[in-house]
Amino acid sequence: MAYDFRVSGRIAKRVHDVFEAVADPAKLSGYFTTGGAVGRLESGATVTWDFADFPGAFPVRVERVVPDKEIVLHWEAAGDGGPAYDTTVVMSFAGLEDGRTLVTIEEKGWRESAAGLKAAMGNCEGWTGMLCALKAYIEHGINLREGFYK
């Protein structure tokens, strides 16, 4: 049994604009990485995501970027007392006939343990929140995370 998950949301903007709102660190910092993002999401890069409402900055290793289509990245899973390990995040961007963009985020590679399940559920909640925050930010200029967690 794997603890992989997938979340999706529709954003009322063109694919390129939605993709850039994720890949561009200045835009990402406006709604998701509340402590700031350092480095553009590009194939082979290692960037840093900092969340002011959660402890610490996180290194994010970018495996592959296909502009306006897909971002594949790896980052360290929440500690469970065992050896450190990474999960894989795949973000997909698809244009819809009505001009909106479907964003799908999958995260996989969790340990099959109670701690792995807890961490996967926490990240599933986090990615769902990210999609909601992305939609509010890019469609209406609102930062949903501001004051939400602290």
Side-chain angles (χ1 to χ4, degrees):
M1 168 193 285
Y3 298 132
D4 304 346
F5 62 82
R6 174 186 299 175
V7 296
S8 297
R10 288 158 184 79
I11 311 294
K13 292 289 180 179
R14 304 180 311 124
V15 170
H16 179 74
D17 296 333
V18 176
F19 180 87
E20 283 301 311
V22 176
D24 181 323
K27 292 176 182 173
L28 190 67
S29 298
Y31 67 92
F32 183 54
T33 52
T34 52
V38 177
R40 182 175 173 80
L41 297 180
E42 298 177 316
S43 295
T46 297
V47 302
T48 302
W49 288 354
D50 192 355
F51 299 91
D53 39 15
F54 289 97
F58 300 88
V60 177
R61 187 172 46 85
V62 185
E63 176 183 321
R64 179 177 66 251
V65 173
V66 179
D68 299 342
K69 300 261 184 230
E70 182 181 69
I71 298 169
V72 179
L73 56 88
H74 306 273
W75 64 350
E76 190 171 316
D80 63 1
Y85 69 102
D86 287 352
T87 60
T88 301
V89 177
V90 178
M91 300 180 185
S92 302
F93 304 82
L96 302 174
E97 289 182 12
D98 61 6
R100 294 182 301 162
T101 300
L102 175 64
V103 182
T104 300
I105 302 173
E106 300 175 69
E107 189 164 4
K108 53 192 169 192
W110 300 97
R111 283 206 180 109
E112 294 182 18
S113 64
L117 176 60
K118 181 178 178 182
M121 295 303 292
N123 277 29
C124 184
E125 176 186 357
W127 288 121
T128 301
M130 184 268 203
L131 288 176
C132 293
L134 168 61
K135 182 174 182 67
Y137 180 77
I138 197 169
E139 291 182 15
H140 306 287
I142 298 168
N143 180 355
L144 285 181
R145 284 185 73 112
E146 188 173 328
F148 190 81
Y149 293 101
K150 282 191 174 182

